[in-house]
Amino acid sequence: MKKRIFLCLITCLMVRLCMAQYEQLTNIPTIYIETFGGQQITSKSNYIYATMTYVDADKVVQYDSLQIRGRGNSTWNLAKKPYRIKFNESTKFLGKGYAKNKSWTLLANHADKSLLRNAVTFAMGDFLGQPFSPAAHFVDLVVNGTYLGNYQVSDQVNVDDKRVEIVEQEEIATDESNITGGYLVEIDGFGSSELVNFRTSKNLIVSVKSPDEDIINAAQKNYIRQYLNDFESALFGSNFTDETRGYRAIADSATLMSWYIATELSANVDGFWSTYLYKDQDDPRLYFGPLWDYDIAYNNCNRVGDVTNQTMVDAGFGSDLTKVWVKRMIQDPWFNEAINRAWKQKVDEGLEEYLYQYIDSMAAYLDQSQEKNYSRYSITSHVYNEIYLYSTYAEYIDQLKDFIGNHMQFLTTTFAQRANEEGGGGDDEPITLKPFKLQDGYYYRIYNKSTNKVLDIADASSEAGANVVIWSPEYGRDTQLWEVVQTGDYYLLINKASGMAFNDPSPSSAVGTPLNVAVPDANDSRQHWKFVTVNENDNYNIINAYTEHAINNSGGGATDGNNILSYTSDDRNSISNN
């Protein structure tokens, strides 16, 4: 008995010593990570070894050895960086009800001033019926003695129990292996940089997440490629609306509905740029999800502007990715009716109230942590693509809730109109090209399709005669912002920085003259431009009224400063990405 009491006292003493060394910084848990030798975490591909201490109230858990590296694409370049940690063995890191796995993520949410957009969407996924939504467990993070801010501990999207629950192909397949599944893949704009990737028959880039790159062989890669090609054949064939011969025979309708509704409700502009899909063994169905990466959703991306009254099929990115599929699906009356029916059901079940309550409760829970986070990082400064900036955390929370309420009203009308008015049709159905519609009160960036670079003024000049060039998009560079002013049937493009107007100085017969800016003159037809829609992905040619030439990125060059030219407007307009 005395020995047991003695051991208990020793344990309590050790906990108190740990608590003294590792302080819980706010009311939420604090994680301390020390890399071996104090190494800096500089790579997204190479792990370094570390130890971790997890502090929560009177609970201190120490992990003697794990590995950590950076993660993310654009977010890795921000000041507050996201990380991936990997334990030596599968660990039930978040406790009961969560996965037991080696790999976990530490999301920085630095581009999201509310810190909640990912968490809100994962909660939405649960409400909508997604089979798996990643965890959202918030902590304060300290690495090598430096406080880094509020972070979200979340699942790594992979195949496992309580994650994507399909058969995992863990061994190199033989001729006798069942290679019908499982597969976890991502249609992703960055897919070509992944170790295992391919393109579908519609040229969508797909990266394979499972089986792992050191397991998958040619037969498995060919199998999943052919499976997705067969899906596309069904989707784009003449019988695509048929229940047994079209895409509905392959797509799992429940996950398709919940994934699409979540993409539209969250207004995730990257929802069709990055889409997870999976297929299980001996299961013919294609499943949509899990939901992932929503920090620039909910009206938080100035590259597209305010999307309160827009759908992602119209305003989102991914025109050569998953959007290709969805634009075809909305030509199917069944799809529109099913989306409208599922939407109304979830609204009736209290979706809006559920999201408001979740946001309010999480905002209250994070109040101390967000205050500490924004003592290190500015709450009023742009760090990525934010549209709106406020001086208080509460205002960001209000903006998030206001957007959800207003956007839900828009979607209720939009989904109902589609269900009642949109027709189906076969391959010969004509495509409706929507004309350019000016939104007053905004500056515009004008992107070149092939390079994704924007119209800028050479050397940031404010002088008349300065050439217009392409340049990498850069927030705060006012020479990349253009006011679009209607004048009769045309538009003037006035540069925000210089006040000069976009101008075509060439004689009407000359081709290849560099375009420039001039003192604005509403009566000068050389400054008059029209936007001509050239495809269903809302790409435009910009045509000059005087020369009748189209603006053209010289030679398709991607170098900053490449000239923009006055070029012949002809039947190449709709196919030339220049």
Side-chain angles (χ1 to χ4, degrees), residues 202-250:
K202 288 292 182 180
N203 207 37
L204 279 63
I205 183 71
V206 178
S207 61
V208 180
K209 305 299 183 181
S210 183
D212 293 340
E213 65 271 8
D214 56 349
I215 297 293
I216 192 170
N217 63 20
Q220 291 165 307
K221 184 176 177 180
N222 289 337
Y223 176 88
I224 190 60
R225 180 197 290 118
Q226 187 58 52
Y227 174 81
L228 292 176
N229 285 344
D230 290 343
F231 174 75
E232 288 186 334
S233 294
L235 178 59
F236 290 92
S238 59
N239 297 311
F240 84 105
T241 62
D242 188 273
E243 182 178 359
T244 58
R245 292 181 291 176
Y247 72 100
R248 291 162 56 191
I250 303 174

Short mmCIF file of all heavy atoms in Angstrom, two decimals, residues 202-250:
data_model
loop_
_atom_site.label_atom_id
_atom_site.label_comp_id
_atom_site.label_asym_id
_atom_site.label_seq_id
_atom_site.Cartn_x
_atom_site.Cartn_y
_atom_site.Cartn_z
N LYS A 202 -10.62 13.21 -70.77
CA LYS A 202 -10.99 14.62 -70.89
C LYS A 202 -9.87 15.55 -70.42
O LYS A 202 -10.09 16.73 -70.21
CB LYS A 202 -12.27 14.89 -70.09
CG LYS A 202 -13.53 14.31 -70.72
CD LYS A 202 -13.87 15.02 -72.01
CE LYS A 202 -15.15 14.50 -72.64
NZ LYS A 202 -15.47 15.20 -73.91
N ASN A 203 -8.69 14.97 -70.24
CA ASN A 203 -7.47 15.72 -69.92
C ASN A 203 -7.46 16.27 -68.50
O ASN A 203 -6.71 17.21 -68.19
CB ASN A 203 -7.24 16.85 -70.92
CG ASN A 203 -5.77 17.21 -71.05
OD1 ASN A 203 -4.90 16.32 -70.99
ND2 ASN A 203 -5.46 18.48 -71.20
N LEU A 204 -8.26 15.70 -67.59
CA LEU A 204 -8.19 16.09 -66.19
C LEU A 204 -6.97 15.43 -65.56
O LEU A 204 -6.73 14.24 -65.76
CB LEU A 204 -9.46 15.66 -65.44
CG LEU A 204 -10.69 16.56 -65.56
CD1 LEU A 204 -11.19 16.62 -66.99
CD2 LEU A 204 -11.80 16.05 -64.63
N ILE A 205 -6.20 16.20 -64.78
CA ILE A 205 -5.01 15.67 -64.14
C ILE A 205 -5.41 15.02 -62.81
O ILE A 205 -6.09 15.62 -61.99
CB ILE A 205 -3.94 16.76 -63.93
CG1 ILE A 205 -2.67 16.17 -63.32
CG2 ILE A 205 -4.46 17.92 -63.12
CD1 ILE A 205 -1.89 15.30 -64.24
N VAL A 206 -5.00 13.76 -62.62
CA VAL A 206 -5.36 12.98 -61.45
C VAL A 206 -4.09 12.49 -60.76
O VAL A 206 -3.19 11.96 -61.42
CB VAL A 206 -6.23 11.75 -61.83
CG1 VAL A 206 -6.56 10.91 -60.61
CG2 VAL A 206 -7.50 12.19 -62.56
N SER A 207 -4.00 12.69 -59.44
CA SER A 207 -2.89 12.12 -58.67
C SER A 207 -3.44 11.00 -57.79
O SER A 207 -4.56 11.09 -57.27
CB SER A 207 -2.20 13.18 -57.81
OG SER A 207 -3.10 13.76 -56.89
N VAL A 208 -2.66 9.94 -57.63
CA VAL A 208 -3.08 8.77 -56.85
C VAL A 208 -2.49 8.89 -55.45
O VAL A 208 -1.26 8.96 -55.28
CB VAL A 208 -2.63 7.46 -57.51
CG1 VAL A 208 -3.07 6.26 -56.67
CG2 VAL A 208 -3.20 7.35 -58.92
N LYS A 209 -3.34 8.91 -54.43
CA LYS A 209 -2.92 9.01 -53.04
C LYS A 209 -2.77 7.64 -52.39
O LYS A 209 -1.98 7.45 -51.47
CB LYS A 209 -3.92 9.85 -52.24
CG LYS A 209 -4.19 11.23 -52.82
CD LYS A 209 -2.93 12.07 -52.86
CE LYS A 209 -3.21 13.47 -53.37
NZ LYS A 209 -1.97 14.29 -53.44
N SER A 210 -3.57 6.69 -52.83
CA SER A 210 -3.49 5.31 -52.34
C SER A 210 -3.94 4.39 -53.45
O SER A 210 -4.97 4.66 -54.08
CB SER A 210 -4.37 5.11 -51.10
OG SER A 210 -4.23 3.81 -50.58
N PRO A 211 -3.17 3.32 -53.76
CA PRO A 211 -1.98 2.81 -53.07
C PRO A 211 -0.82 3.81 -53.11
O PRO A 211 -0.73 4.65 -54.00
CB PRO A 211 -1.64 1.55 -53.86
CG PRO A 211 -2.89 1.19 -54.61
CD PRO A 211 -3.56 2.48 -54.90
N ASP A 212 0.09 3.65 -52.14
CA ASP A 212 1.26 4.51 -52.05
C ASP A 212 2.13 4.36 -53.29
O ASP A 212 2.10 3.34 -53.98
CB ASP A 212 2.08 4.18 -50.81
CG ASP A 212 1.33 4.54 -49.53
OD1 ASP A 212 0.41 5.36 -49.60
OD2 ASP A 212 1.68 3.98 -48.46
N GLU A 213 2.96 5.38 -53.53
CA GLU A 213 3.80 5.38 -54.73
C GLU A 213 4.80 4.23 -54.76
O GLU A 213 5.22 3.80 -55.84
CB GLU A 213 4.55 6.72 -54.85
CG GLU A 213 5.56 7.00 -53.76
CD GLU A 213 4.96 7.72 -52.56
OE1 GLU A 213 3.72 7.87 -52.50
OE2 GLU A 213 5.74 8.14 -51.69
N ASP A 214 5.19 3.71 -53.57
CA ASP A 214 6.13 2.59 -53.57
C ASP A 214 5.42 1.24 -53.62
O ASP A 214 6.08 0.19 -53.59
CB ASP A 214 7.04 2.65 -52.34
CG ASP A 214 6.26 2.70 -51.03
OD1 ASP A 214 5.03 2.91 -51.08
OD2 ASP A 214 6.87 2.54 -49.96
N ILE A 215 4.08 1.25 -53.71
CA ILE A 215 3.29 0.02 -53.78
C ILE A 215 2.65 -0.13 -55.16
O ILE A 215 2.66 -1.21 -55.77
CB ILE A 215 2.19 0.00 -52.70
CG1 ILE A 215 2.83 0.01 -51.30
CG2 ILE A 215 1.25 -1.18 -52.88
CD1 ILE A 215 3.59 -1.26 -50.97
N ILE A 216 2.08 0.94 -55.68
CA ILE A 216 1.28 0.85 -56.90
C ILE A 216 2.14 0.41 -58.09
O ILE A 216 3.29 0.84 -58.24
CB ILE A 216 0.59 2.21 -57.20
CG1 ILE A 216 -0.47 2.06 -58.29
CG2 ILE A 216 1.60 3.28 -57.53
CD1 ILE A 216 -1.36 3.30 -58.45
N ASN A 217 1.58 -0.47 -58.92
CA ASN A 217 2.29 -0.89 -60.12
C ASN A 217 1.52 -0.45 -61.36
O ASN A 217 0.46 0.18 -61.27
CB ASN A 217 2.54 -2.41 -60.12
CG ASN A 217 1.25 -3.22 -60.14
OD1 ASN A 217 0.18 -2.72 -60.53
ND2 ASN A 217 1.34 -4.49 -59.75
N ALA A 218 2.03 -0.78 -62.53
CA ALA A 218 1.43 -0.33 -63.79
C ALA A 218 0.01 -0.84 -63.96
O ALA A 218 -0.86 -0.13 -64.46
CB ALA A 218 2.31 -0.77 -64.97
N ALA A 219 -0.24 -2.09 -63.55
CA ALA A 219 -1.58 -2.66 -63.71
C ALA A 219 -2.60 -1.89 -62.88
O ALA A 219 -3.72 -1.63 -63.35
CB ALA A 219 -1.57 -4.13 -63.31
N GLN A 220 -2.24 -1.53 -61.65
CA GLN A 220 -3.17 -0.77 -60.80
C GLN A 220 -3.40 0.64 -61.35
O GLN A 220 -4.53 1.13 -61.36
CB GLN A 220 -2.60 -0.70 -59.38
CG GLN A 220 -2.59 -2.03 -58.64
CD GLN A 220 -1.71 -1.98 -57.41
OE1 GLN A 220 -0.54 -1.61 -57.49
NE2 GLN A 220 -2.25 -2.38 -56.27
N LYS A 221 -2.34 1.26 -61.81
CA LYS A 221 -2.47 2.61 -62.37
C LYS A 221 -3.34 2.57 -63.62
O LYS A 221 -4.22 3.43 -63.81
CB LYS A 221 -1.09 3.18 -62.69
CG LYS A 221 -1.11 4.61 -63.19
CD LYS A 221 0.31 5.14 -63.39
CE LYS A 221 0.29 6.56 -63.95
NZ LYS A 221 1.67 7.08 -64.15
N ASN A 222 -3.15 1.57 -64.46
CA ASN A 222 -3.97 1.44 -65.66
C ASN A 222 -5.42 1.15 -65.30
O ASN A 222 -6.34 1.63 -65.98
CB ASN A 222 -3.43 0.33 -66.56
CG ASN A 222 -2.12 0.71 -67.23
OD1 ASN A 222 -1.82 1.89 -67.38
ND2 ASN A 222 -1.33 -0.28 -67.60
N TYR A 223 -5.62 0.39 -64.22
CA TYR A 223 -7.00 0.06 -63.82
C TYR A 223 -7.76 1.32 -63.41
O TYR A 223 -8.87 1.56 -63.89
CB TYR A 223 -7.00 -0.93 -62.65
CG TYR A 223 -8.40 -1.22 -62.15
CD1 TYR A 223 -9.17 -2.23 -62.71
CD2 TYR A 223 -8.98 -0.43 -61.15
CE1 TYR A 223 -10.46 -2.47 -62.28
CE2 TYR A 223 -10.28 -0.66 -60.72
CZ TYR A 223 -11.01 -1.67 -61.28
OH TYR A 223 -12.31 -1.91 -60.87
N ILE A 224 -7.18 2.13 -62.55
CA ILE A 224 -7.92 3.30 -62.05
C ILE A 224 -8.05 4.36 -63.15
O ILE A 224 -9.06 5.08 -63.22
CB ILE A 224 -7.27 3.88 -60.77
CG1 ILE A 224 -8.18 4.93 -60.13
CG2 ILE A 224 -5.88 4.40 -61.03
CD1 ILE A 224 -9.56 4.44 -59.72
N ARG A 225 -7.06 4.46 -64.04
CA ARG A 225 -7.19 5.37 -65.17
C ARG A 225 -8.35 4.95 -66.07
O ARG A 225 -9.18 5.78 -66.47
CB ARG A 225 -5.90 5.43 -65.99
CG ARG A 225 -6.00 6.39 -67.19
CD ARG A 225 -4.92 6.16 -68.22
NE ARG A 225 -3.61 6.56 -67.75
CZ ARG A 225 -2.58 5.75 -67.60
NH1 ARG A 225 -2.72 4.45 -67.85
NH2 ARG A 225 -1.41 6.19 -67.20
N GLN A 226 -8.41 3.66 -66.39
CA GLN A 226 -9.48 3.18 -67.27
C GLN A 226 -10.84 3.32 -66.60
O GLN A 226 -11.84 3.63 -67.27
CB GLN A 226 -9.24 1.71 -67.66
CG GLN A 226 -10.21 1.18 -68.70
CD GLN A 226 -10.18 1.99 -69.99
OE1 GLN A 226 -9.10 2.21 -70.56
NE2 GLN A 226 -11.34 2.46 -70.45
N TYR A 227 -10.88 3.11 -65.29
CA TYR A 227 -12.15 3.26 -64.55
C TYR A 227 -12.67 4.70 -64.68
O TYR A 227 -13.85 4.92 -64.95
CB TYR A 227 -11.91 2.91 -63.08
CG TYR A 227 -13.10 3.17 -62.18
CD1 TYR A 227 -14.15 2.26 -62.09
CD2 TYR A 227 -13.17 4.33 -61.41
CE1 TYR A 227 -15.24 2.50 -61.28
CE2 TYR A 227 -14.24 4.58 -60.58
CZ TYR A 227 -15.28 3.67 -60.53
OH TYR A 227 -16.36 3.91 -59.71
N LEU A 228 -11.80 5.69 -64.51
CA LEU A 228 -12.23 7.09 -64.63
C LEU A 228 -12.54 7.45 -66.08
O LEU A 228 -13.44 8.25 -66.34
CB LEU A 228 -11.15 8.02 -64.06
CG LEU A 228 -10.96 7.92 -62.54
CD1 LEU A 228 -9.81 8.82 -62.08
CD2 LEU A 228 -12.23 8.28 -61.79
N ASN A 229 -11.82 6.86 -67.02
CA ASN A 229 -12.16 7.07 -68.43
C ASN A 229 -13.54 6.51 -68.76
O ASN A 229 -14.31 7.13 -69.52
CB ASN A 229 -11.11 6.43 -69.33
CG ASN A 229 -9.82 7.22 -69.39
OD1 ASN A 229 -9.79 8.39 -69.00
ND2 ASN A 229 -8.75 6.59 -69.85
N ASP A 230 -13.86 5.35 -68.19
CA ASP A 230 -15.19 4.77 -68.40
C ASP A 230 -16.28 5.68 -67.80
O ASP A 230 -17.37 5.84 -68.38
CB ASP A 230 -15.28 3.38 -67.77
CG ASP A 230 -14.44 2.35 -68.51
OD1 ASP A 230 -14.05 2.61 -69.67
OD2 ASP A 230 -14.16 1.27 -67.92
N PHE A 231 -15.97 6.27 -66.64
CA PHE A 231 -16.92 7.22 -66.04
C PHE A 231 -17.13 8.40 -66.97
O PHE A 231 -18.27 8.84 -67.19
CB PHE A 231 -16.41 7.69 -64.68
CG PHE A 231 -17.25 8.77 -64.06
CD1 PHE A 231 -18.48 8.46 -63.49
CD2 PHE A 231 -16.82 10.09 -64.05
CE1 PHE A 231 -19.27 9.46 -62.93
CE2 PHE A 231 -17.61 11.09 -63.49
CZ PHE A 231 -18.83 10.76 -62.93
N GLU A 232 -16.06 8.94 -67.53
CA GLU A 232 -16.19 10.07 -68.44
C GLU A 232 -16.95 9.69 -69.71
O GLU A 232 -17.74 10.49 -70.23
CB GLU A 232 -14.81 10.62 -68.78
CG GLU A 232 -14.16 11.35 -67.62
CD GLU A 232 -12.86 12.04 -67.99
OE1 GLU A 232 -12.20 11.59 -68.95
OE2 GLU A 232 -12.50 13.03 -67.32
N SER A 233 -16.72 8.49 -70.19
CA SER A 233 -17.46 8.05 -71.38
C SER A 233 -18.96 8.02 -71.10
O SER A 233 -19.78 8.41 -71.93
CB SER A 233 -16.98 6.66 -71.81
OG SER A 233 -15.64 6.71 -72.25
N ALA A 234 -19.32 7.54 -69.90
CA ALA A 234 -20.73 7.51 -69.52
C ALA A 234 -21.28 8.91 -69.33
O ALA A 234 -22.43 9.21 -69.69
CB ALA A 234 -20.90 6.69 -68.25
N LEU A 235 -20.47 9.81 -68.77
CA LEU A 235 -20.91 11.17 -68.48
C LEU A 235 -21.08 12.00 -69.75
O LEU A 235 -22.01 12.81 -69.85
CB LEU A 235 -19.93 11.86 -67.53
CG LEU A 235 -20.21 13.30 -67.15
CD1 LEU A 235 -21.57 13.45 -66.46
CD2 LEU A 235 -19.10 13.84 -66.25
N PHE A 236 -20.22 11.80 -70.73
CA PHE A 236 -20.26 12.62 -71.93
C PHE A 236 -20.85 11.90 -73.13
O PHE A 236 -20.87 12.44 -74.23
CB PHE A 236 -18.85 13.13 -72.25
CG PHE A 236 -18.37 14.16 -71.26
CD1 PHE A 236 -17.64 13.76 -70.14
CD2 PHE A 236 -18.66 15.50 -71.42
CE1 PHE A 236 -17.21 14.70 -69.21
CE2 PHE A 236 -18.24 16.44 -70.50
CZ PHE A 236 -17.51 16.04 -69.38
N GLY A 237 -21.36 10.69 -72.92
CA GLY A 237 -22.00 9.97 -74.00
C GLY A 237 -23.41 10.46 -74.26
O GLY A 237 -24.00 11.24 -73.50
N SER A 238 -23.99 9.99 -75.36
CA SER A 238 -25.33 10.42 -75.75
C SER A 238 -26.40 9.94 -74.78
O SER A 238 -27.49 10.52 -74.72
CB SER A 238 -25.64 9.92 -77.16
OG SER A 238 -25.56 8.50 -77.21
N ASN A 239 -26.10 8.92 -73.99
CA ASN A 239 -27.07 8.39 -73.01
C ASN A 239 -26.73 8.82 -71.59
O ASN A 239 -27.08 8.13 -70.63
CB ASN A 239 -27.11 6.86 -73.10
CG ASN A 239 -27.59 6.36 -74.44
OD1 ASN A 239 -28.61 6.82 -74.95
ND2 ASN A 239 -26.84 5.45 -75.04
N PHE A 240 -26.07 9.96 -71.43
CA PHE A 240 -25.55 10.31 -70.10
C PHE A 240 -26.65 10.53 -69.06
O PHE A 240 -26.41 10.39 -67.87
CB PHE A 240 -24.64 11.53 -70.20
CG PHE A 240 -25.33 12.87 -70.17
CD1 PHE A 240 -25.28 13.67 -69.04
CD2 PHE A 240 -26.01 13.36 -71.29
CE1 PHE A 240 -25.90 14.91 -69.01
CE2 PHE A 240 -26.61 14.59 -71.26
CZ PHE A 240 -26.56 15.37 -70.12
N THR A 241 -27.89 10.84 -69.48
CA THR A 241 -28.97 11.03 -68.51
C THR A 241 -29.65 9.72 -68.14
O THR A 241 -30.50 9.71 -67.25
CB THR A 241 -30.03 11.99 -69.08
OG1 THR A 241 -30.61 11.43 -70.26
CG2 THR A 241 -29.42 13.34 -69.41
N ASP A 242 -29.29 8.62 -68.81
CA ASP A 242 -29.93 7.34 -68.55
C ASP A 242 -29.43 6.76 -67.22
O ASP A 242 -28.24 6.77 -66.92
CB ASP A 242 -29.62 6.36 -69.69
CG ASP A 242 -30.42 5.07 -69.56
OD1 ASP A 242 -29.94 4.15 -68.86
OD2 ASP A 242 -31.50 5.00 -70.16
N GLU A 243 -30.37 6.22 -66.45
CA GLU A 243 -30.05 5.75 -65.11
C GLU A 243 -29.08 4.57 -65.12
O GLU A 243 -28.23 4.44 -64.23
CB GLU A 243 -31.33 5.34 -64.38
CG GLU A 243 -31.11 4.87 -62.95
CD GLU A 243 -32.41 4.53 -62.26
OE1 GLU A 243 -33.48 4.69 -62.89
OE2 GLU A 243 -32.37 4.13 -61.08
N THR A 244 -29.15 3.72 -66.13
CA THR A 244 -28.33 2.52 -66.16
C THR A 244 -27.16 2.60 -67.13
O THR A 244 -26.17 1.89 -66.97
CB THR A 244 -29.18 1.29 -66.53
OG1 THR A 244 -29.80 1.51 -67.81
CG2 THR A 244 -30.25 1.06 -65.48
N ARG A 245 -27.25 3.48 -68.13
CA ARG A 245 -26.17 3.59 -69.12
C ARG A 245 -25.36 4.87 -68.99
O ARG A 245 -24.29 4.99 -69.60
CB ARG A 245 -26.75 3.49 -70.53
CG ARG A 245 -27.30 2.11 -70.86
CD ARG A 245 -27.84 2.06 -72.28
NE ARG A 245 -29.06 2.86 -72.42
CZ ARG A 245 -29.69 3.06 -73.57
NH1 ARG A 245 -29.20 2.54 -74.69
NH2 ARG A 245 -30.80 3.78 -73.61
N GLY A 246 -25.83 5.80 -68.19
CA GLY A 246 -25.12 7.06 -68.00
C GLY A 246 -24.26 7.06 -66.75
O GLY A 246 -24.03 6.02 -66.12
N TYR A 247 -23.81 8.23 -66.36
CA TYR A 247 -22.87 8.37 -65.24
C TYR A 247 -23.50 7.97 -63.90
O TYR A 247 -22.78 7.60 -62.96
CB TYR A 247 -22.36 9.81 -65.18
CG TYR A 247 -23.39 10.82 -64.71
CD1 TYR A 247 -23.42 11.29 -63.41
CD2 TYR A 247 -24.37 11.31 -65.59
CE1 TYR A 247 -24.35 12.20 -62.98
CE2 TYR A 247 -25.31 12.22 -65.18
CZ TYR A 247 -25.31 12.66 -63.88
OH TYR A 247 -26.25 13.56 -63.45
N ARG A 248 -24.84 8.03 -63.80
CA ARG A 248 -25.49 7.69 -62.53
C ARG A 248 -25.30 6.24 -62.15
O ARG A 248 -25.40 5.89 -60.97
CB ARG A 248 -26.99 8.00 -62.63
CG ARG A 248 -27.29 9.48 -62.72
CD ARG A 248 -28.69 9.75 -63.24
NE ARG A 248 -29.71 9.09 -62.45
CZ ARG A 248 -30.99 9.01 -62.82
NH1 ARG A 248 -31.37 9.53 -63.98
NH2 ARG A 248 -31.85 8.41 -62.04
N ALA A 249 -25.00 5.39 -63.12
CA ALA A 249 -24.74 3.99 -62.82
C ALA A 249 -23.40 3.82 -62.11
O ALA A 249 -23.14 2.76 -61.52
CB ALA A 249 -24.77 3.16 -64.10
N ILE A 250 -22.54 4.83 -62.16
CA ILE A 250 -21.20 4.74 -61.56
C ILE A 250 -21.07 5.66 -60.36
O ILE A 250 -20.55 5.25 -59.31
CB ILE A 250 -20.12 5.09 -62.61
CG1 ILE A 250 -20.25 4.15 -63.82
CG2 ILE A 250 -18.72 4.99 -62.01
CD1 ILE A 250 -19.33 4.50 -64.98
#
